[in-house]
Amino acid sequence: MTRRTVIENCAIATVDADGTEYASGHLVLADDRIEAVGAGRAPRDVENVVRRIDASGHLATPGLVNTHHHFYQWLTRGLATDHNLFDWLVALYPVWARIDEEMVYAAAQGSLAMMARGGVTTTTDHHYVFPRGCGDLSGVIVRAAREIGVRFTLARGSMDRGEKDGGLPPDFAVESLEGALAATEATIDAHHDASFGAMTQVAVAPCSPFSVSTELLREGAELARRKGVRLHTHGSETVEEEKFCRELFGMGPTAYFESTGWLGEDVWMAHCVHMTDDDIAAFARTGTGVAHCPSSNARLAAGIARVPDLLAVGVPVGLGVDGTASNESGELHTELRNALLINRLGPHREAALGARQVLRLGTHGGAQVLGRAREIGSLEPGKLADLVLWRMDTLAHSSIADPVAALVLGAPAPVTASFVNGRQIVEDGRLLSADEDAIARSTREQARRLARIAASTA
């Protein structure tokens, strides 16, 4: 029997192709799908209703989609706070190189819990640090996502260019070319689900041009396309990266990526801050996506990504938290506000981005980047029932007439309810699927343990 949930009396931003909104509307969820969305109250003859929610004073939106993160960094927040990217990496790689299975599981729980309670229903984790003897890190990350209840893409990362080869990570924290490719393929075989509505997917994700070999990029792309999965990496994040690529490869990052097979509709890259007009045109021509991480870009003084220019030529753009060692809040809904504000500091000024554009980045744009726009990212009949009810009648927002402007420009809005596949995972800002206080204790203990181990081996 189909079980239905009816949500009524809320403002609705569907983020569909037409940007349809309702000042007061309803949603009908049928098992794991959205069955109906419309103005006014739901029809009285809806059958098999197991729950009715009066959402007066709320805004309903699609669940937020996080397109770039590094969960393990939850254990190293607040360190190297005055560094640029390369110096920050040099400072933290020796610490990250000491992680193990227990630490990574706790860090994944912390990262996922923080995002879920803030409206994220789909997330990625770009995990690329696999020290020797560290255990099954991919397995515990997937387990943590399953327990919290969010939709998840594990971007199985890798590094094979250590210090002895001119890279930044310590040699004992990198894999061999053959080992990285084999482990990545094994992760796909173990965890990737290609079906509609999948809760777990896997992408091939060598870390960056300055930590992986050309062979790993090229063979990683071949592996991804042979297995039918997506590709993810960091690109054009800093001026130092541009200089590195020109010195080592004789070309800029975008041209280098294209030479290794790393542009295409199945590819998305994090940051993409320092891009020329030719770079942007190449992304548009190939359908390559971008994960925009405004807070991390500011924290590491990387610069302001040309998001308005990317959108103007049709490049798919989503939002990313990035690792919490460079975005300590670990929340995506704050990236809505920061994306709008930071981009208005650029050349387009007040015309750079509007409130509805950034809500689209955080929902439908993220779904596009992850190749899942048929399933999630907007509130439409037939799509998966991943949605959030934001409370808008408290002191923080009640005098802002436009609920979308209130969500994007106002203080972080309380999440009254968050649903994934029609299953509620957050109620009144608290997780229903896990004990937040226990996670806080565990992450604190593991952060201290990592600090002790790193200090003893320095």
Side-chain angles (χ1 to χ4, degrees), residues 220-229 231 260-267:
E222 293 170 356
L223 168 64
R225 288 171 180 135
R226 175 166 57 83
K227 303 295 287 188
V229 302
L231 300 85
T260 59
W262 271 80
L263 294 187
E265 293 182 353
D266 53 356
V267 180

PDB file of all heavy atoms in Angstrom, residues 220-229 231 260-267:
ATOM      1  N   GLY A 220      42.834   7.210 -14.700  1.00  0.00           N
ATOM      2  CA  GLY A 220      41.642   7.360 -13.872  1.00  0.00           C
ATOM      3  C   GLY A 220      40.427   7.714 -14.706  1.00  0.00           C
ATOM      4  O   GLY A 220      39.316   7.201 -14.482  1.00  0.00           O
ATOM      5  N   ALA A 221      40.608   8.603 -15.693  1.00  0.00           N
ATOM      6  CA  ALA A 221      39.508   8.953 -16.587  1.00  0.00           C
ATOM      7  C   ALA A 221      39.050   7.741 -17.384  1.00  0.00           C
ATOM      8  O   ALA A 221      37.845   7.504 -17.573  1.00  0.00           O
ATOM      9  CB  ALA A 221      39.933  10.086 -17.521  1.00  0.00           C
ATOM     10  N   GLU A 222      40.002   6.961 -17.852  1.00  0.00           N
ATOM     11  CA  GLU A 222      39.659   5.752 -18.606  1.00  0.00           C
ATOM     12  C   GLU A 222      38.888   4.768 -17.729  1.00  0.00           C
ATOM     13  O   GLU A 222      37.911   4.141 -18.174  1.00  0.00           O
ATOM     14  CB  GLU A 222      40.929   5.109 -19.160  1.00  0.00           C
ATOM     15  CG  GLU A 222      41.619   5.953 -20.226  1.00  0.00           C
ATOM     16  CD  GLU A 222      43.001   5.423 -20.591  1.00  0.00           C
ATOM     17  OE1 GLU A 222      43.442   4.434 -19.958  1.00  0.00           O
ATOM     18  OE2 GLU A 222      43.642   6.003 -21.486  1.00  0.00           O
ATOM     19  N   LEU A 223      39.321   4.624 -16.474  1.00  0.00           N
ATOM     20  CA  LEU A 223      38.637   3.733 -15.539  1.00  0.00           C
ATOM     21  C   LEU A 223      37.198   4.193 -15.310  1.00  0.00           C
ATOM     22  O   LEU A 223      36.258   3.388 -15.355  1.00  0.00           O
ATOM     23  CB  LEU A 223      39.391   3.694 -14.206  1.00  0.00           C
ATOM     24  CG  LEU A 223      38.671   3.031 -13.028  1.00  0.00           C
ATOM     25  CD1 LEU A 223      38.434   1.547 -13.310  1.00  0.00           C
ATOM     26  CD2 LEU A 223      39.466   3.224 -11.736  1.00  0.00           C
ATOM     27  N   ALA A 224      37.014   5.498 -15.060  1.00  0.00           N
ATOM     28  CA  ALA A 224      35.676   6.017 -14.782  1.00  0.00           C
ATOM     29  C   ALA A 224      34.734   5.751 -15.948  1.00  0.00           C
ATOM     30  O   ALA A 224      33.581   5.325 -15.754  1.00  0.00           O
ATOM     31  CB  ALA A 224      35.752   7.516 -14.497  1.00  0.00           C
ATOM     32  N   ARG A 225      35.210   5.967 -17.144  1.00  0.00           N
ATOM     33  CA  ARG A 225      34.329   5.795 -18.306  1.00  0.00           C
ATOM     34  C   ARG A 225      34.078   4.316 -18.600  1.00  0.00           C
ATOM     35  O   ARG A 225      32.993   3.951 -19.061  1.00  0.00           O
ATOM     36  CB  ARG A 225      34.915   6.554 -19.489  1.00  0.00           C
ATOM     37  CG  ARG A 225      34.749   8.063 -19.240  1.00  0.00           C
ATOM     38  CD  ARG A 225      35.433   8.994 -20.164  1.00  0.00           C
ATOM     39  NE  ARG A 225      35.121  10.361 -19.736  1.00  0.00           N
ATOM     40  CZ  ARG A 225      35.991  11.347 -19.628  1.00  0.00           C
ATOM     41  NH1 ARG A 225      37.271  11.141 -19.920  1.00  0.00           N
ATOM     42  NH2 ARG A 225      35.604  12.541 -19.225  1.00  0.00           N
ATOM     43  N   ARG A 226      35.036   3.494 -18.290  1.00  0.00           N
ATOM     44  CA  ARG A 226      34.813   2.051 -18.450  1.00  0.00           C
ATOM     45  C   ARG A 226      33.775   1.542 -17.462  1.00  0.00           C
ATOM     46  O   ARG A 226      32.959   0.652 -17.794  1.00  0.00           O
ATOM     47  CB  ARG A 226      36.144   1.310 -18.269  1.00  0.00           C
ATOM     48  CG  ARG A 226      36.012  -0.207 -18.291  1.00  0.00           C
ATOM     49  CD  ARG A 226      37.354  -0.894 -18.454  1.00  0.00           C
ATOM     50  NE  ARG A 226      38.317  -0.541 -17.419  1.00  0.00           N
ATOM     51  CZ  ARG A 226      38.380  -1.115 -16.215  1.00  0.00           C
ATOM     52  NH1 ARG A 226      37.515  -2.077 -15.890  1.00  0.00           N
ATOM     53  NH2 ARG A 226      39.301  -0.751 -15.344  1.00  0.00           N
ATOM     54  N   LYS A 227      33.767   2.120 -16.257  1.00  0.00           N
ATOM     55  CA  LYS A 227      32.844   1.681 -15.212  1.00  0.00           C
ATOM     56  C   LYS A 227      31.534   2.471 -15.218  1.00  0.00           C
ATOM     57  O   LYS A 227      30.602   2.132 -14.479  1.00  0.00           O
ATOM     58  CB  LYS A 227      33.505   1.804 -13.834  1.00  0.00           C
ATOM     59  CG  LYS A 227      34.813   1.045 -13.683  1.00  0.00           C
ATOM     60  CD  LYS A 227      34.639  -0.458 -13.775  1.00  0.00           C
ATOM     61  CE  LYS A 227      33.986  -1.053 -12.553  1.00  0.00           C
ATOM     62  NZ  LYS A 227      34.006  -2.548 -12.580  1.00  0.00           N
ATOM     63  N   GLY A 228      31.451   3.532 -16.018  1.00  0.00           N
ATOM     64  CA  GLY A 228      30.219   4.318 -16.095  1.00  0.00           C
ATOM     65  C   GLY A 228      29.952   5.177 -14.877  1.00  0.00           C
ATOM     66  O   GLY A 228      28.794   5.371 -14.476  1.00  0.00           O
ATOM     67  N   VAL A 229      31.018   5.739 -14.274  1.00  0.00           N
ATOM     68  CA  VAL A 229      30.852   6.616 -13.122  1.00  0.00           C
ATOM     69  C   VAL A 229      31.411   8.000 -13.453  1.00  0.00           C
ATOM     70  O   VAL A 229      32.094   8.199 -14.456  1.00  0.00           O
ATOM     71  CB  VAL A 229      31.544   6.050 -11.864  1.00  0.00           C
ATOM     72  CG1 VAL A 229      30.982   4.670 -11.525  1.00  0.00           C
ATOM     73  CG2 VAL A 229      33.065   5.980 -12.037  1.00  0.00           C
ATOM     74  N   LEU A 231      33.556  11.730 -12.724  1.00  0.00           N
ATOM     75  CA  LEU A 231      34.942  12.088 -12.411  1.00  0.00           C
ATOM     76  C   LEU A 231      34.953  13.410 -11.651  1.00  0.00           C
ATOM     77  O   LEU A 231      34.218  14.337 -11.998  1.00  0.00           O
ATOM     78  CB  LEU A 231      35.771  12.247 -13.687  1.00  0.00           C
ATOM     79  CG  LEU A 231      35.914  11.073 -14.643  1.00  0.00           C
ATOM     80  CD1 LEU A 231      34.731  11.010 -15.625  1.00  0.00           C
ATOM     81  CD2 LEU A 231      37.208  11.207 -15.444  1.00  0.00           C
ATOM     82  N   THR A 260      44.353  15.318 -20.676  1.00  0.00           N
ATOM     83  CA  THR A 260      44.321  14.021 -19.995  1.00  0.00           C
ATOM     84  C   THR A 260      42.923  13.399 -19.984  1.00  0.00           C
ATOM     85  O   THR A 260      42.703  12.395 -19.307  1.00  0.00           O
ATOM     86  CB  THR A 260      44.814  14.168 -18.536  1.00  0.00           C
ATOM     87  OG1 THR A 260      43.982  15.107 -17.849  1.00  0.00           O
ATOM     88  CG2 THR A 260      46.248  14.648 -18.496  1.00  0.00           C
ATOM     89  N   GLY A 261      41.979  13.991 -20.714  1.00  0.00           N
ATOM     90  CA  GLY A 261      40.623  13.438 -20.782  1.00  0.00           C
ATOM     91  C   GLY A 261      39.708  13.902 -19.679  1.00  0.00           C
ATOM     92  O   GLY A 261      38.651  13.305 -19.453  1.00  0.00           O
ATOM     93  N   TRP A 262      40.089  15.009 -19.008  1.00  0.00           N
ATOM     94  CA  TRP A 262      39.345  15.429 -17.825  1.00  0.00           C
ATOM     95  C   TRP A 262      38.428  16.625 -18.061  1.00  0.00           C
ATOM     96  O   TRP A 262      38.212  17.426 -17.152  1.00  0.00           O
ATOM     97  CB  TRP A 262      40.316  15.706 -16.678  1.00  0.00           C
ATOM     98  CG  TRP A 262      40.568  14.461 -15.882  1.00  0.00           C
ATOM     99  CD1 TRP A 262      41.403  13.444 -16.200  1.00  0.00           C
ATOM    100  CD2 TRP A 262      39.929  14.095 -14.652  1.00  0.00           C
ATOM    101  NE1 TRP A 262      41.344  12.462 -15.242  1.00  0.00           N
ATOM    102  CE2 TRP A 262      40.460  12.833 -14.281  1.00  0.00           C
ATOM    103  CE3 TRP A 262      38.997  14.699 -13.836  1.00  0.00           C
ATOM    104  CZ2 TRP A 262      40.057  12.165 -13.122  1.00  0.00           C
ATOM    105  CZ3 TRP A 262      38.594  14.049 -12.681  1.00  0.00           C
ATOM    106  CH2 TRP A 262      39.115  12.799 -12.329  1.00  0.00           C
ATOM    107  N   LEU A 263      37.876  16.752 -19.236  1.00  0.00           N
ATOM    108  CA  LEU A 263      36.751  17.661 -19.441  1.00  0.00           C
ATOM    109  C   LEU A 263      35.622  16.841 -20.045  1.00  0.00           C
ATOM    110  O   LEU A 263      35.852  15.946 -20.855  1.00  0.00           O
ATOM    111  CB  LEU A 263      37.115  18.819 -20.383  1.00  0.00           C
ATOM    112  CG  LEU A 263      38.168  19.828 -19.915  1.00  0.00           C
ATOM    113  CD1 LEU A 263      38.262  20.980 -20.915  1.00  0.00           C
ATOM    114  CD2 LEU A 263      37.900  20.360 -18.517  1.00  0.00           C
ATOM    115  N   GLY A 264      34.373  17.131 -19.659  1.00  0.00           N
ATOM    116  CA  GLY A 264      33.246  16.389 -20.200  1.00  0.00           C
ATOM    117  C   GLY A 264      32.026  16.501 -19.318  1.00  0.00           C
ATOM    118  O   GLY A 264      32.104  16.971 -18.172  1.00  0.00           O
ATOM    119  N   GLU A 265      30.881  16.064 -19.818  1.00  0.00           N
ATOM    120  CA  GLU A 265      29.632  16.138 -19.063  1.00  0.00           C
ATOM    121  C   GLU A 265      29.632  15.244 -17.830  1.00  0.00           C
ATOM    122  O   GLU A 265      28.782  15.404 -16.951  1.00  0.00           O
ATOM    123  CB  GLU A 265      28.456  15.759 -19.974  1.00  0.00           C
ATOM    124  CG  GLU A 265      28.209  16.768 -21.087  1.00  0.00           C
ATOM    125  CD  GLU A 265      27.014  16.389 -21.949  1.00  0.00           C
ATOM    126  OE1 GLU A 265      26.469  15.267 -21.756  1.00  0.00           O
ATOM    127  OE2 GLU A 265      26.624  17.202 -22.808  1.00  0.00           O
ATOM    128  N   ASP A 266      30.568  14.304 -17.771  1.00  0.00           N
ATOM    129  CA  ASP A 266      30.663  13.405 -16.616  1.00  0.00           C
ATOM    130  C   ASP A 266      31.718  13.875 -15.614  1.00  0.00           C
ATOM    131  O   ASP A 266      32.073  13.129 -14.693  1.00  0.00           O
ATOM    132  CB  ASP A 266      30.980  11.978 -17.071  1.00  0.00           C
ATOM    133  CG  ASP A 266      32.211  11.884 -17.972  1.00  0.00           C
ATOM    134  OD1 ASP A 266      32.794  12.940 -18.307  1.00  0.00           O
ATOM    135  OD2 ASP A 266      32.584  10.748 -18.350  1.00  0.00           O
ATOM    136  N   VAL A 267      32.204  15.103 -15.755  1.00  0.00           N
ATOM    137  CA  VAL A 267      33.266  15.645 -14.902  1.00  0.00           C
ATOM    138  C   VAL A 267      32.754  16.867 -14.147  1.00  0.00           C
ATOM    139  O   VAL A 267      32.040  17.701 -14.714  1.00  0.00           O
ATOM    140  CB  VAL A 267      34.494  16.063 -15.745  1.00  0.00           C
ATOM    141  CG1 VAL A 267      35.598  16.640 -14.852  1.00  0.00           C
ATOM    142  CG2 VAL A 267      35.012  14.899 -16.578  1.00  0.00           C
TER     143      VAL A 267
END
